[in-house]
Coordinates of all heavy atoms in Angstrom, one line a residue:
W1 N 76.5 443.2 42.9 CA 75.2 443.9 42.7 C 74.9 444.7 44.0 O 74.4 445.9 43.9 CB 74.2 442.8 42.5 CG 72.7 443.3 42.2 CD1 72.3 443.7 41.0 CD2 71.7 443.6 43.2 NE1 70.9 444.1 41.2 CE2 70.6 444.1 42.5 CE3 71.7 443.4 44.6 CZ2 69.4 444.4 43.1 CZ3 70.5 443.7 45.2 CH2 69.4 444.2 44.5
L2 N 75.2 444.1 45.1 CA 75.0 444.9 46.4 C 75.9 446.1 46.5 O 75.5 447.2 46.9 CB 75.3 443.9 47.6 CG 74.2 442.9 47.9 CD1 74.7 441.9 48.9 CD2 72.9 443.6 48.4
S3 N 77.2 446.0 46.1 CA 78.1 447.0 46.2 C 77.6 448.2 45.3 O 77.7 449.4 45.7 CB 79.5 446.6 45.7 OG 80.0 445.6 46.6
K4 N 77.1 447.9 44.1 CA 76.6 448.9 43.2 C 75.4 449.7 43.7 O 75.3 450.9 43.6 CB 76.3 448.3 41.8 CG 75.9 449.3 40.8 CD 75.8 448.6 39.4 CE 75.3 449.6 38.3 NZ 75.2 449.0 37.0
Y5 N 74.4 448.9 44.3 CA 73.1 449.5 44.6 C 72.9 449.8 46.1 O 72.0 450.5 46.4 CB 72.0 448.6 44.1 CG 72.0 448.5 42.6 CD1 72.4 447.4 41.9 CD2 71.7 449.7 41.8 CE1 72.4 447.4 40.4 CE2 71.6 449.7 40.4 CZ 72.0 448.5 39.7 OH 72.0 448.5 38.4
Y6 N 73.8 449.2 47.0 CA 73.7 449.5 48.3 C 74.9 450.2 49.0 O 74.8 450.7 50.0 CB 73.4 448.2 49.1 CG 72.0 447.7 49.1 CD1 71.4 447.0 48.0 CD2 71.1 448.0 50.2 CE1 70.1 446.6 48.0 CE2 69.8 447.6 50.1 CZ 69.3 446.9 49.0 OH 68.0 446.5 49.0
G7 N 76.0 450.1 48.2 CA 77.2 450.8 48.7 C 78.0 449.8 49.6 O 77.8 448.6 49.6
K8 N 79.0 450.4 50.2 CA 79.9 449.6 51.0 C 79.3 449.0 52.2 O 78.6 449.6 53.0 CB 81.1 450.5 51.5 CG 82.2 449.8 52.1 CD 83.4 450.7 52.4 CE 84.5 450.0 53.1 NZ 85.6 450.9 53.5
H9 N 79.5 447.7 52.4 CA 78.9 446.9 53.6 C 79.7 445.6 53.7 O 80.1 445.1 52.7 CB 77.4 446.7 53.4 CG 76.8 446.3 54.7 ND1 76.4 445.0 55.0 CD2 76.4 447.0 55.8 CE1 75.8 444.9 56.2 NE2 75.8 446.1 56.7
Y10 N 79.9 445.2 54.9 CA 80.6 443.9 55.1 C 79.9 442.7 54.5 O 80.6 441.6 54.3 CB 81.0 443.7 56.6 CG 79.8 443.4 57.5 CD1 79.5 442.1 57.8 CD2 79.1 444.4 58.1 CE1 78.5 441.8 58.6 CE2 78.0 444.1 59.0 CZ 77.7 442.8 59.2 OH 76.7 442.5 60.1
L11 N 78.6 442.8 54.3 CA 77.9 441.7 53.6 C 78.4 441.4 52.3 O 78.5 440.2 51.9 CB 76.4 441.9 53.6 CG 75.5 441.0 52.8 CD1 75.7 439.5 53.3 CD2 74.1 441.4 52.7
N12 N 78.8 442.4 51.6 CA 79.4 442.3 50.2 C 80.6 441.4 50.2 O 80.8 440.5 49.4 CB 79.8 443.6 49.6 CG 78.6 444.6 49.7 OD1 77.5 444.3 49.9 ND2 78.9 445.9 49.5
D13 N 81.5 441.6 51.2 CA 82.7 440.8 51.3 C 82.4 439.4 51.9 O 83.0 438.4 51.5 CB 83.8 441.5 52.2 CG 84.2 442.8 51.6 OD1 84.4 442.8 50.3 OD2 84.5 443.8 52.3
A14 N 81.4 439.4 52.8 CA 81.0 438.1 53.4 C 80.6 437.0 52.3 O 81.0 435.9 52.4 CB 80.0 438.3 54.4
L15 N 79.7 437.6 51.4 CA 79.2 436.6 50.4 C 80.3 436.0 49.5 O 80.3 434.8 49.1 CB 78.3 437.4 49.5 CG 76.9 437.8 50.1 CD1 76.2 438.9 49.2 CD2 76.1 436.6 50.3
K16 N 81.4 436.7 49.4 CA 82.5 436.2 48.5 C 83.2 434.9 49.1 O 83.8 434.2 48.5 CB 83.6 437.3 48.3 CG 83.1 438.5 47.4 CD 84.2 439.5 47.3 CE 83.7 440.7 46.6 NZ 84.7 441.8 46.6
I17 N 83.0 434.8 50.5 CA 83.7 433.7 51.1 C 82.5 432.7 51.6 O 82.8 431.9 52.6 CB 84.6 434.1 52.3 CG1 83.9 435.0 53.3 CG2 85.8 434.8 51.7 CD1 84.7 435.2 54.6
G18 N 81.4 432.8 51.0 CA 80.3 431.9 51.3 C 79.6 432.1 52.6 O 79.0 431.2 53.2
I19 N 79.6 433.3 53.1 CA 78.9 433.7 54.4 C 77.8 434.7 54.2 O 78.0 435.7 53.5 CB 80.0 434.2 55.4 CG1 81.0 433.1 55.8 CG2 79.3 434.7 56.7 CD1 82.1 433.6 56.6
G20 N 76.6 434.4 54.8 CA 75.6 435.4 54.8 C 75.3 436.0 56.1 O 75.8 435.4 57.1
I21 N 74.5 437.0 56.2 CA 74.1 437.6 57.5 C 72.5 437.8 57.5 O 72.0 437.9 56.4 CB 74.8 438.9 57.8 CG1 74.3 440.0 56.8 CG2 76.3 438.8 57.8 CD1 74.7 441.4 57.2
H22 N 71.9 437.7 58.6 CA 70.5 437.8 58.7 C 70.1 438.5 60.0 O 70.5 438.0 61.1 CB 69.9 436.4 58.6 CG 68.4 436.4 58.3 ND1 67.5 436.8 59.2 CD2 67.7 435.9 57.2 CE1 66.2 436.6 58.6 NE2 66.4 436.1 57.4
H23 N 69.4 439.6 59.9 CA 68.8 440.2 61.1 C 67.5 440.9 60.7 O 67.2 441.1 59.5 CB 69.8 441.2 61.7 CG 70.3 442.3 60.9 ND1 69.6 443.4 60.5 CD2 71.5 442.4 60.2 CE1 70.3 444.1 59.7 NE2 71.5 443.6 59.5
G24 N 66.8 441.3 61.7 CA 65.4 441.8 61.5 C 65.3 443.1 60.8 O 64.3 443.5 60.2
K25 N 66.4 443.9 60.8 CA 66.4 445.2 60.1 C 66.8 445.2 58.7 O 66.6 446.2 57.9 CB 67.2 446.2 60.9 CG 66.9 446.4 62.4 CD 65.5 447.0 62.5 CE 65.2 447.3 64.0 NZ 65.1 446.1 64.8
L26 N 67.4 444.1 58.2 CA 67.9 444.0 56.8 C 66.7 444.0 55.9 O 65.6 443.6 56.2 CB 68.6 442.6 56.7 CG 69.5 442.4 55.5 CD1 70.7 443.4 55.6 CD2 70.0 441.0 55.4
H27 N 66.9 444.7 54.7 CA 65.8 444.6 53.8 C 65.3 443.2 53.5 O 66.1 442.3 53.3 CB 66.2 445.3 52.4 CG 66.2 446.8 52.5 ND1 66.8 447.6 51.5 CD2 65.8 447.7 53.4 CE1 66.7 448.8 51.8 NE2 66.1 448.9 53.0
R28 N 64.0 443.0 53.5 CA 63.4 441.7 53.4 C 63.9 440.9 52.3 O 64.1 439.7 52.4 CB 61.9 441.8 53.5 CG 61.4 442.4 54.8 CD 60.0 443.0 54.6 NE 59.6 443.6 55.8 CZ 58.6 444.6 55.8 NH1 58.0 444.9 54.7 NH2 58.3 445.2 57.0
C29 N 63.9 441.5 51.1 CA 64.3 440.8 49.9 C 65.8 440.3 50.0 O 66.1 439.2 49.5 CB 64.2 441.7 48.6 SG 65.0 443.2 48.8
L30 N 66.6 441.0 50.7 CA 68.0 440.6 50.9 C 68.1 439.4 51.8 O 68.8 438.5 51.6 CB 68.9 441.7 51.4 CG 69.0 443.0 50.6 CD1 70.0 444.0 51.2 CD2 69.3 442.7 49.1
S31 N 67.3 439.4 52.9 CA 67.2 438.3 53.8 C 66.7 437.0 53.1 O 67.3 435.9 53.2 CB 66.3 438.6 55.0 OG 66.7 439.7 55.7
Q32 N 65.7 437.2 52.3 CA 65.0 436.1 51.6 C 66.0 435.4 50.5 O 66.1 434.2 50.4 CB 63.8 436.5 50.8 CG 62.7 437.0 51.8 CD 61.5 437.8 51.1 OE1 61.7 438.1 49.9 NE2 60.5 438.1 51.8

């Protein structure tokens, strides 16, 4: 879903191996 609507980003690959990322600039809904 992220790849389709946000484009290429390392978060997309991180999620596949059970890893998330969180920082203050990330869209709030994605952090939540």
Side-chain angles (χ1 to χ4, degrees):
W1 186 86
L2 285 170
S3 296
K4 181 175 181 178
Y5 294 109
Y6 278 82
K8 188 177 180 181
H9 193 258
Y10 68 94
L11 172 59
N12 308 344
D13 296 323
L15 288 167
K16 293 177 185 176
I17 57 171
I19 295 172
I21 67 168
H22 197 291
H23 56 75
K25 302 297 187 292
L26 199 65
H27 282 171
R28 293 156 189 161
C29 54
L30 302 186
S31 302
Q32 293 164 356

